[in-house]
């Protein structure tokens, strides 16, 4: 396995409501993420939510790149706001875990890909803020929470030239799925916008400089196998993981 890179994927916790396991917490992740990493040539490793920094360091040391997956809303305390009435489910333990995970991966120079909530959390951890619901944005909004399955395309995304995202897709306009009700408000310092929807909602961000830290608001893993061009995002992450590890 010398030439393989390990891609850590953060997971969620579900509280079980069936009789036999009532109230139990279970670590979960949609298998789409696992398949996307495998089809991109990486070795997927699901990372459970843990608390202690020492263990988080060990988790990050054992991977070559990190995917922050989708999930609940980020608690607005992380960007110094009170909860708006339109805020949905939050799970602060996951916020704190992933904040540490991102900070540790950043310090250890591991590439990071944030997906949906993962992109929003990247923005928050590096000093930005969020709209707690897209309806709080002025103007005529398009639908950002599609009512169809994740492999069906929902809205267009316009990619900004001269960004890492553009170098991945080599197109100014792509079609994506969309499953979010929050959005980036104040962009984190040292980040740039790499994609927007037609209504101006931010759909992609990336950190300036050589370190691969990139977020997308859609779910590329949801339709990687139907639209192979979307796999390119994961292939670039695997490529960056090789480069960081020194096996590229
Ligand atoms: Mn969207």
């Amino acid at each position: 396995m010398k030439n393989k890179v390990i891609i850590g994927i953060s997971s969620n916790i579900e509280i079980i409501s069936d009789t036999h396991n009532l109230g139990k917490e279970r670590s979960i992740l949609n298998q789409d993420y696992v398949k996307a990493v495998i089809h991109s040539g990486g070795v997927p490793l699901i990372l459970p939510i843990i608390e202690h920094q020492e263990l988080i360091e060990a988790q990050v040391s054992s991977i070559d790149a990190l995917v922050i997956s989708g999930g609940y809303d980020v608690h607005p305390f992380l960007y110094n706001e009170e909860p708006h009435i339109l805020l949905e489910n939050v799970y602060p333990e996951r916020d704190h875990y992933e904040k540490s995970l991102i900070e540790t991966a950043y310090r250890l120079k591991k590439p990071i890909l944030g997906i949906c909530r993962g992109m929003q959390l990247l923005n928050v951890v590096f000093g930005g803020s969020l709209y707690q619901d897209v309806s709080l944005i002025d103007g005529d909004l398009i639908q950002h929470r599609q009512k169809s399955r994740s492999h069906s395309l929902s809205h267009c995304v316009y990619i900004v030239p001269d960004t890492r995202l553009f170098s991945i897709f080599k197109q100014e306009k792509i079609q994506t799925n969309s499953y979010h009700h929050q959005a980036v408000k104040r962009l984190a310092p040292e980040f740039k916008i790499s994609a927007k929807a037609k209504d101006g909602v931010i759909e992609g961000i990336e950190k300036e400089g050589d370190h691969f830290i990139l977020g997308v608001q859609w779910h590329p893993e949801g339709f990687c196998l139907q639209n192979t061009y979307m796999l390119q995002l994961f292939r670039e992450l695997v490529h960056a993981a090789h480069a960081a590890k020194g096996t590229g």
Side-chain angles (χ1 to χ4, degrees):
M1 298 299 273
K2 198 176 156 203
N3 295 321
K4 291 285 186 188
V5 284
I6 296 176
I7 310 296
I9 312 165
S10 68
S11 61
N12 213 336
I13 279 186
E14 188 177 66
I15 298 167
I16 305 302
S17 57
D18 75 55
T19 324
H20 298 300
N21 292 293
L22 189 65
K24 278 210 187 311
E25 296 180 330
R26 198 170 275 168
S27 296
I28 58 157
L29 179 74
N30 287 344
Q31 189 70 0
D32 286 343
Y33 291 99
V34 169
K35 289 181 185 169
V37 168
I38 292 171
H39 284 274
S40 307
V43 180
L45 186 68
I46 300 174
L47 306 173
I49 296 172
I50 53 175
E51 199 180 331
H52 295 98
Q53 180 58 28
E54 198 184 325
L55 303 189
I56 295 172
E57 294 265 349
Q59 274 188 338
V60 176
S61 299
S62 71
I63 61 172
D64 300 302
L66 175 64
V67 175
I68 302 289
S69 61
Y72 290 158
D73 289 358
V74 175
H75 199 293
F77 280 173
L78 269 75
Y79 46 92
N80 297 319
E81 281 188 21
E82 292 295 314
H84 189 274
I85 197 165
L86 294 173
L87 180 71
E88 298 185 359
N89 290 357
V90 291
Y91 193 86
E93 293 87 343
R94 183 178 178 190
D95 294 342
H96 293 130
Y97 166 64
E98 286 184 330
K99 181 174 188 284
S100 248
L101 201 57
I102 290 167
E103 288 168 347
T104 309
Y106 177 58
R107 183 161 38 80
L108 298 181
K109 299 190 167 51
K110 313 275 182 177
I112 309 172
L113 174 63
I115 292 175
C116 198
R117 163 200 158 84
M119 170 184 116
Q120 295 169 356
L121 188 64
L122 275 178
N123 184 58
V124 168
V125 167
F126 284 96
S129 69
L130 304 177
Y131 288 105
Q132 293 189 38
D133 189 84
V134 288
S135 65
L136 300 168
I137 302 171
D138 290 336
D140 282 336
L141 288 179
I142 62 169
Q143 186 189 57
H144 287 280
R145 198 178 242 171
Q146 75 187 65
K147 297 178 168 93
S148 54
R149 294 200 291 167
S150 65
H151 59 265
S152 61
L153 299 164
S154 176
H155 71 65
C156 293
V157 162
Y158 298 85
I159 301 179
V160 180
D162 293 322
T163 59
R164 194 186 284 271
L165 195 66
F166 188 85
S167 74
I168 293 171
F169 287 112
K170 299 178 177 65
Q171 292 178 73
E172 286 187 33
K173 181 181 173 186
I174 59 170
Q175 294 177 328
T176 68
N177 55 14
S178 191
Y179 286 98
H180 58 113
H181 86 103
Q182 298 197 313
V184 167
K185 185 159 65 180
R186 187 184 68 245
L187 185 68
E190 295 176 41
F191 271 68
K192 56 183 171 184
I193 294 169
S194 50
K196 278 185 176 184
K198 196 166 192 178
D199 56 9
V201 167
I202 295 171
E203 293 279 341
I205 63 169
E206 57 191 58
K207 194 162 190 310
E208 288 165 6
D210 292 336
H211 193 159
F212 185 111
I213 298 179
L214 186 148
V216 293
Q217 187 57 77
W218 66 94
H219 280 275
E221 81 289 356
F223 58 123
C224 266
L225 307 182
Q226 286 83 6
N227 294 268
T228 49
Y229 75 92
M230 209 35 87
L231 212 49
Q232 203 52 36
L233 203 48
F234 287 92
R235 287 201 186 114
E236 277 301 314
L237 181 72
V238 166
H239 183 74
H242 275 292
K245 192 187 179 189
T247 52

